Amino acid sequence: MRRRIVALYLVLAVIVSALISYTTYRYAYDMYINEVKSSLQHEAVLISYMMKDMKLDDIGDKYLADISEAVMSSFDPNTKAGAKRRITLIDPAGDVLADSYGQSLTMGNHSERPEVKEALAEGIGADIRKSETTGLNLIYLASYSKSQSAILRISASLDYIINIRNTIILYEIVAIIVAMAISSLLAIKLSNYAIKPLALLVKKYGRPRKENLKKGRREDEVGELSYTLGAMTRDIEEIIRELKERNARVDTIINSMDAGLIAVDNTMHILMINPIACKLFGLSGASVQMGVPLVQVIRNRQLNNILLKTIAGNKVINDQINLYQGGKRILSLHASPVYPMDKKEANIGALVYIHDITQIRKLEEMRSEFVSNVTHELKTPLTSIHGFVETLKDGAINDAKVASKFLDIIEIEADRLRILIDDILELSEIESMKEENDRQPFALLPLAQEIESMLNNAASEKGVTLHLQIDPHLILKANRHRMKQLLLNLVDNGIKYNKPGGTVTVTAEQAGSQVEIHVKDTGIGIPLDHTDRIFERFYRVDKGRSRAMGGTGLGLSIVKHIAQLYGGSVRVMSEEGKGSDFAVFIER
Ligand SMILES: Nc1ncnc2c1ncn2[C@@H]1O[C@H](COP(=O)(O)OP(=O)(O)O)[C@@H](O)[C@H]1O
Ligand SMILES: [Mg+2]
């Protein structure tokens, strides 16, 4: 590469200086020739004038030699030998009449000499050539005088100018050599200047191995650079591809998070917002533009304040906000400052992680409500038992009749506690199950018959008749114990909340992939505004009545959870004073 540049500069220097030398030389030469020509012309005029009164025959070689001498000294006192004039007189036919060199007799016919021909035609003629007689480079000027009918020819040597030319050529060669030296220096400097950054780049990136440079390609710095750039391009492409992949991965992660995520810069403009955050604040994801102020998109003062505080205070903030968007929602916010990769002091914005904890809060509330309900439910029979035991100890034990009555009550209360605890255990067991693993096929009718015999006494006491309308071939695949619990609770309710002379009818039939079981009674029914709540734990329409009949308030809750365990549901249709119809749907 460097060699090429230097060579190029040298060639350029030689061409330019040669061109300049040639043109100056040419110009000087032409000028000098013209100068000589015009002085010869002047000389010719003078000599013609000197000879104007002479007869041609009188003009001999000697005379011309004298004139030549005279002219030379008058015109150019410094004339050197080479510049000596030769004067020749020629007649129009070309014969030499006289010659200052005294050779008129030996000189041949001159009619074919170019200057003579030209003079005859135009009055004046000139030519430059080597003299046949002297062998010198000469310039000839011929002037034709018509009055004298003779041609006066003066010739002068050009050796002087040839000497000058040689000197010029010498100078020019020196100039060319100097120009070459300067331009080589410049070329080396320039190529260093041009190539150094390329070389540095190549060095930084690792020099390509010779065999890696493509065949037929340049092997100099540019070749190496082209290889290096190729390698760099491939590396950059690879980096871009990796970055794209990483971006896509991050996007996927952020978008599939089950929490909302919003990032803002320190001027509170949105940097990123994920689909869950959009959903939580009721935004359609497509309408949210990055880079717009957050307040313009989400008009929530609390959220804004938390982010502002996080950025200003450079600290993590945990808080909760309530949203009233399609019902009350409770959001937990975890806001933290976002720092640049390198330093930790100044944040460049903030990130808030948003979790919808409405459901969790609801469950928490339900749990604590349940605990207080259980405590309350347990306390009542215990207080009762405690009271009767105290009374017995105080002396009632001595009265056999009273004592027996009190002990009966204590037994009933203890039973109630046992039933309550059984129900609570049953419920918590079902609730903790995700699905039923213990499924066995069994016929529903025999199960219903078992329940019938269990509840027969209670039914006849109440004056209620039980009807079973179940296909004996109807087979269920479920946990028999749980299905028994379900039916027992419903039929028990049907009897308990019935009227004397009423009926309870159990029907069951297949409906597609499900079995539809109905427990229908002709009892007191349920007021419309309670039908939604009777499946809640401990919820009773008439607390006193339920308690009086030994109810725990957990029966329907157990029914609902069992139905759900089998991928089904339970519904109630009821008319106050007329009766209720509980429908259970269960996947077979
Ligand atoms: N068949 C029914 N007829 C009328 N009311 C009913 C019937 N079944 C349930 N209920 C009402 O629903 C409430 C909840 O029933 P349940 O959960 O079985 O508790 P419990 O029977 O122990 O009171 C009952 O207290 C009662 O008020
Ligand atoms: Mg019940």
Side-chain angles (χ1 to χ4, degrees):
M1 175 75 174
R2 185 164 297 150
R3 242 177 292 142
R4 276 167 200 252
I5 291 181
V6 174
L8 199 80
Y9 262 68
L10 282 180
V11 169
L12 212 70
V14 170
I15 289 176
V16 169
S17 43
L19 262 173
I20 291 173
S21 307
Y22 178 74
T23 42
T24 40
Y25 162 72
R26 204 56 251 183
Y27 180 72
Y29 181 78
D30 287 353
M31 223 169 72
Y32 184 80
I33 294 288
N34 283 337
E35 195 88 334
V36 173
K37 256 190 205 165
S38 78
S39 75
L40 286 184
Q41 243 172 39
H42 285 122
E43 287 170 25
V45 169
L46 185 72
I47 294 168
S48 294
Y49 181 76
M50 286 164 79
M51 298 191 309
K52 85 174 183 313
D53 296 328
M54 290 183 74
K55 280 192 188 131
L56 286 178
D57 295 339
D58 293 341
I59 302 169
D61 291 357
K62 177 78 175 63
Y63 178 76
L64 284 186
D66 289 347
I67 284 183
S68 162
E69 200 71 35
V71 166
M72 258 186 315
S73 52
S74 73
F75 266 84
D76 189 353
N78 304 318
T79 307
K80 302 192 175 76
K84 229 180 205 171
R85 303 291 191 267
R86 180 182 189 176
I87 303 169
T88 312
L89 202 63
I90 303 161
D91 76 359
D95 291 326
V96 177
L97 300 174
D99 174 39
S100 66
Y101 276 21
Q103 293 173 345
S104 57
L105 296 177
T106 52
M107 287 161 80
N109 189 285
H110 273 49
S111 61
E112 283 309 309
R113 303 288 155 91
E115 71 277 7
V116 175
K117 272 167 117 185
E118 201 183 332
L120 280 172
E122 299 182 19
I124 287 272
D127 191 31
I128 295 171
R129 64 173 183 271
K130 249 195 171 91
S131 159
E132 283 171 15
T133 37
T134 60
L136 292 169
N137 283 302
L138 294 176
I139 177 165
Y140 295 93
L141 186 112
S143 165
Y144 177 41
S145 160
K146 272 190 188 153
S147 57
Q148 279 184 316
S149 187
I151 295 156
L152 182 72
R153 192 183 76 168
I154 306 175
S155 71
S157 166
L158 282 179
D159 284 350
Y160 176 60
I161 195 169
I162 284 167
N163 277 342
I164 291 178
R165 188 188 68 186
N166 289 344
T167 316
I168 290 178
I169 288 173
L170 196 75
Y171 275 125
E172 279 172 354
I173 287 172
V174 171
I176 287 174
I177 289 170
V178 170
M180 278 168 74
I182 291 175
S183 57
S184 336
L185 267 173
L186 272 177
I188 289 170
K189 264 237 143 70
L190 180 94
S191 63
N192 273 348
Y193 176 74
I195 288 166
K196 215 171 188 165
L198 306 189
L200 271 178
L201 189 70
V202 172
K203 195 175 156 196
K204 210 171 177 180
Y205 214 74
R207 243 183 136 75
R209 269 190 259 152
K210 251 214 159 88
E211 63 265 26
N212 283 343
L213 291 173
K214 277 195 187 149
K215 282 242 161 64
R217 289 272 180 91
R218 295 165 60 162
E219 282 187 14
D220 56 8
E221 288 85 345
V222 172
E224 286 183 350
L225 181 73
S226 121
Y227 172 83
T228 304
L229 284 180
M232 271 169 90
T233 311
R234 278 190 297 281
D235 282 2
I236 289 169
E237 276 169 359
E238 175 69 10
I239 290 168
I240 289 175
R241 198 182 54 73
E242 252 173 41
L243 282 179
K244 271 188 184 163
E245 250 173 38
R246 197 181 300 175
N247 241 7
R249 260 203 308 273
V250 171
D251 272 359
T252 317
I253 292 168
I254 289 172
N255 290 346
S256 53
M257 273 172 77
D258 71 340
L261 205 60
I262 300 173
V264 289
D265 63 16
N266 49 17
T267 56
M268 291 293 286
H269 286 66
I270 299 180
L271 290 176
M272 187 272 303
I273 179 162
N274 79 341
I276 295 282
C278 288
K279 212 172 121 195
L280 285 172
F281 291 99
L283 309 167
S284 76
S287 69
V288 181
Q289 279 183 354
M290 300 301 114
V292 297
L294 180 69
V295 263
Q296 275 180 25
V297 180
I298 300 171
R299 294 184 194 281
N300 188 299
R301 209 157 41 89
Q302 287 172 292
L303 174 71
N304 252 280
N305 285 343
I306 289 167
L307 283 170
L308 278 172
K309 266 195 228 161
T310 307
I311 294 168
N314 209 19
K315 60 179 181 198
V316 172
I317 294 181
N318 288 305
D319 207 345
Q320 261 183 35
I321 62 171
N322 293 335
L323 264 194
Y324 297 92
Q325 219 153 29
K328 182 183 166 188
R329 325 226 66 189
I330 307 165
L331 303 183
S332 126
L333 305 185
H334 175 86
S336 50
V338 175
Y339 300 102
M341 289 279 225
D342 43 352
K343 52 178 189 178
K344 267 255 160 188
E345 301 88 52
N347 63 62
I348 50 166
L351 185 76
V352 62
Y353 175 85
I354 308 159
H355 215 79
D356 186 349
I357 53 165
T358 317
Q359 208 54 34
I360 297 171
R361 277 293 127 83
K362 218 182 218 167
L363 281 173
E364 278 169 9
E365 268 170 33
M366 275 167 71
R367 191 135 297 164
S368 71
E369 200 182 326
F370 179 69
V371 170
S372 79
N373 276 333
V374 168
T375 321
H376 179 76
E377 296 289 335
L378 290 172
K379 238 175 162 175
T380 320
L382 276 174
T383 317
S384 173
I385 291 169
H386 188 252
F388 284 106
V389 170
E390 285 297 309
T391 322
L392 284 171
K393 271 166 64 183
D394 282 352
I397 196 153
N398 300 319
D399 184 338
K401 229 173 144 191
V402 172
S404 149
K405 195 181 161 201
F406 280 12
L407 284 172
D408 282 348
I409 295 173
I410 290 172
E411 194 183 7
I412 289 170
E413 292 296 340
D415 260 353
R416 192 195 294 282
L417 267 180
R418 188 185 46 77
I419 294 167
L420 184 64
I421 289 164
D422 280 352
D423 274 3
I424 291 170
L425 290 177
E426 179 84 29
L427 192 62
S428 73
E429 187 189 323
I430 304 163
E431 265 188 327
S432 67
M433 289 172 75
K434 291 225 162 55
E435 62 177 316
E436 178 66 85
N437 297 319
D438 181 18
R439 280 171 170 245
Q440 303 286 341
F442 62 91
L444 188 61
L445 183 61
L447 181 81
Q449 285 162 344
E450 264 175 51
I451 289 165
E452 188 182 24
S453 59
M454 279 169 78
L455 296 175
N456 230 343
N457 283 345
S460 52
E461 260 174 39
K462 190 99 207 214
V464 172
T465 2
L466 210 63
H467 301 287
L468 302 180
Q469 294 168 3
I470 300 169
D471 177 359
H473 303 295
L474 184 66
I475 306 289
L476 271 184
K477 200 170 172 226
N479 182 319
R480 199 171 187 275
H481 163 74
R482 271 191 239 298
M483 281 312 294
K484 192 171 170 180
Q485 288 288 316
L486 184 146
L487 263 189
L488 194 64
N489 271 303
L490 289 177
V491 178
D492 178 53
N493 284 350
I495 296 165
K496 276 199 304 199
Y497 305 108
N498 217 317
K499 297 181 232 170
T503 56
V504 175
T505 316
V506 182
T507 59
E509 60 184 27
Q510 273 187 40
S513 68
Q514 291 191 319
V515 173
E516 188 175 339
I517 303 166
H518 282 264
V519 180
K520 209 169 161 181
D521 65 66
T522 55
I524 58 169
I526 303 155
L528 202 64
D529 49 334
H530 292 273
T531 45
D532 276 347
R533 303 203 55 192
I534 51 171
F535 295 99
E536 289 174 16
R537 281 171 266 205
F538 299 114
Y539 190 86
R540 295 114 157 171
V541 177
D542 181 342
K543 209 160 189 163
R545 181 173 185 150
S546 160
R547 269 187 64 82
M549 282 181 291
T552 59
L554 291 175
L556 286 181
S557 206
I558 291 171
V559 170
K560 187 179 93 180
H561 279 98
I562 293 174
Q564 283 173 352
L565 192 62
Y566 291 106
S569 59
V570 54
R571 281 205 299 260
V572 61
M573 289 212 313
S574 182
E575 202 177 328
E576 221 182 328
K578 287 205 167 159
S580 314
D581 178 3
F582 285 85
V584 179
F585 302 85
I586 279 176
E587 290 294 327
R588 290 202 297 141

